[in-house]
């Protein structure tokens, strides 16, 4: 436990929001829970979990139970320092945990959310509450419900052989560092921390 906290402090930069994207067909609740708890332990504030079939979101309570179980097992007595507060299990599957905020997402929170945001904006224009010239990046960010209150992901860890994020928050990952790992099955803490270390040492040129 001390190692995890020290590892987080030792990194030159720590992502504020990490997306955990599974492209494999058979997601593992236990392995995903380990990844989430490791994120909490090193001090990452926001975590998004995504699979392209929406399995984690449909079985949100099962994933949350596994996270709480591993939180107790992996953090032990330190759990008292990581207060667990559950938000209502609404359609976004959001839960507050260990001073980190977790959202469980599915494809409907990606492109479909952008379409819904565009429709809502058009309604505002039709009702003369907005004009077409009001639409900008910040306006669209505010209209997107799936990531309300979340910063854009700094880092996405993509698991599996598919060379795609398969619809994970397409609007929000314009500047996101994406690191691919072979599988989330039996993933080790060393694999996880190696990816964080790679992110901490990479130079983000912001398109320059």
């Amino acid at each position: 436990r001390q190692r995890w906290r020290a590892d987080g402090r030792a990194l030159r930069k720590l992502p504020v929001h990490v997306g955990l994207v599974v492209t494999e067909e058979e997601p593992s609740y236990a392995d995903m829970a380990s990844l989430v708890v490791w994120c909490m332990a090193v001090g990452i504030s926001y975590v998004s979990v995504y699979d392209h079939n929406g399995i984690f979101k449909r079985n949100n309570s099962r994933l949350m139970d596994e996270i709480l179980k591993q939180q107790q097992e992996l953090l032990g007595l330190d759990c008292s320092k990581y207060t667990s507060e559950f938000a209502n299990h609404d359609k976004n599957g959001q839960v507050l945990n260990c001073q980190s905020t977790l959202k469980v997402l599915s494809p409907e929170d990606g492109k479909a959310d952008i379409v819904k945001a565009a429709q809502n904006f058009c309604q505002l224009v039709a009702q003369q509450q907005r004009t077409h010239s009001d639409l900008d990046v910040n306006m669209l960010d505010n209209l997107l419900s799936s990531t309300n209150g979340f910063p854009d992901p700094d880092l996405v860890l993509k698991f599996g052989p598919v060379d795609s994020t398969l619809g994970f928050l397409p609007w929000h990952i314009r500047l996101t560092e994406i690191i691919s790992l072979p599988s989330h099955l039996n993933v080790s803490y060393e694999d996880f921390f190696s990816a964080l270390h790679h992110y901490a040492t990479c130079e983000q040129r912001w398109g320059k």
Side-chain angles (χ1 to χ4, degrees):
R1 296 191 296 270
Q2 292 178 344
R3 174 192 174 185
W4 291 332
R5 292 195 297 272
D7 282 347
R9 291 193 295 267
L11 292 171
R12 186 167 62 87
K13 61 178 178 178
L14 190 67
V16 175
H17 178 187
V18 170
L20 304 173
V21 176
V22 173
T23 66
E24 297 156 283
E25 292 299 322
E26 297 293 332
S28 164
Y29 294 91
D31 290 313
M32 181 53 66
S34 294
L35 287 159
V36 171
V37 173
W38 292 335
C39 287
M40 297 171 181
V42 299
I44 293 167
S45 299
Y46 298 90
V47 183
S48 296
V49 170
Y50 176 92
D51 71 279
H52 66 287
N53 291 319
I55 295 173
F56 285 132
K57 187 171 182 178
R58 288 197 303 274
N59 299 280
N60 182 55
S61 59
R62 179 178 172 185
L63 177 61
M64 295 308 127
D65 288 344
E66 186 66 38
I67 289 170
L68 280 180
K69 174 186 171 185
Q70 293 204 32
Q71 177 183 322
Q72 181 65 50
E73 291 177 354
L74 298 178
L75 300 179
L77 295 177
D78 277 1
C79 252
S80 61
K81 299 178 183 178
Y82 298 91
T83 56
S84 300
E85 178 185 350
F86 283 85
N88 292 330
H89 282 211
D90 59 12
K91 63 180 180 179
N92 292 326
Q94 179 174 322
V95 62
L96 300 179
N97 229 327
C98 279
Q99 299 177 347
S100 298
T101 307
L102 171 68
K103 274 196 175 181
V104 182
L105 303 173
S106 66
E108 69 189 44
D109 301 304
K111 293 180 180 179
D113 199 31
I114 295 175
V115 172
K116 182 179 177 182
Q119 291 172 338
N120 289 340
F121 181 76
C122 289
Q123 288 179 350
L124 292 173
V125 172
Q127 295 165 1
Q128 298 185 335
Q129 297 180 34
R130 295 286 181 181
T131 67
H132 69 278
S133 59
D134 290 332
L135 185 61
D136 57 15
V137 171
N138 291 330
M139 172 65 73
L140 185 53
D141 281 339
N142 291 332
L143 289 169
L144 293 171
S145 62
S146 62
T147 53
N148 186 28
F150 262 50
D152 289 350
D154 307 288
L155 171 65
V156 164
L157 300 182
K158 182 192 71 65
F159 300 93
V162 181
D163 191 19
S164 169
T165 56
L166 296 179
F168 172 74
L169 299 180
W171 171 258
H172 303 83
I173 58 173
R174 305 180 300 278
L175 303 175
T176 300
E177 187 73 17
I178 300 174
I179 297 176
S180 296
L181 294 127
S183 176
H184 75 300
L185 302 176
N186 300 314
V187 65
S188 69
Y189 175 75
E190 286 68 28
D191 294 330
F192 167 76
F193 184 71
S194 176
L196 290 186
H197 186 266
H198 177 82
Y199 167 80
T201 57
C202 73
E203 180 184 358
Q204 292 173 292
R205 303 180 66 87
W206 312 115
K208 298 179 182 178

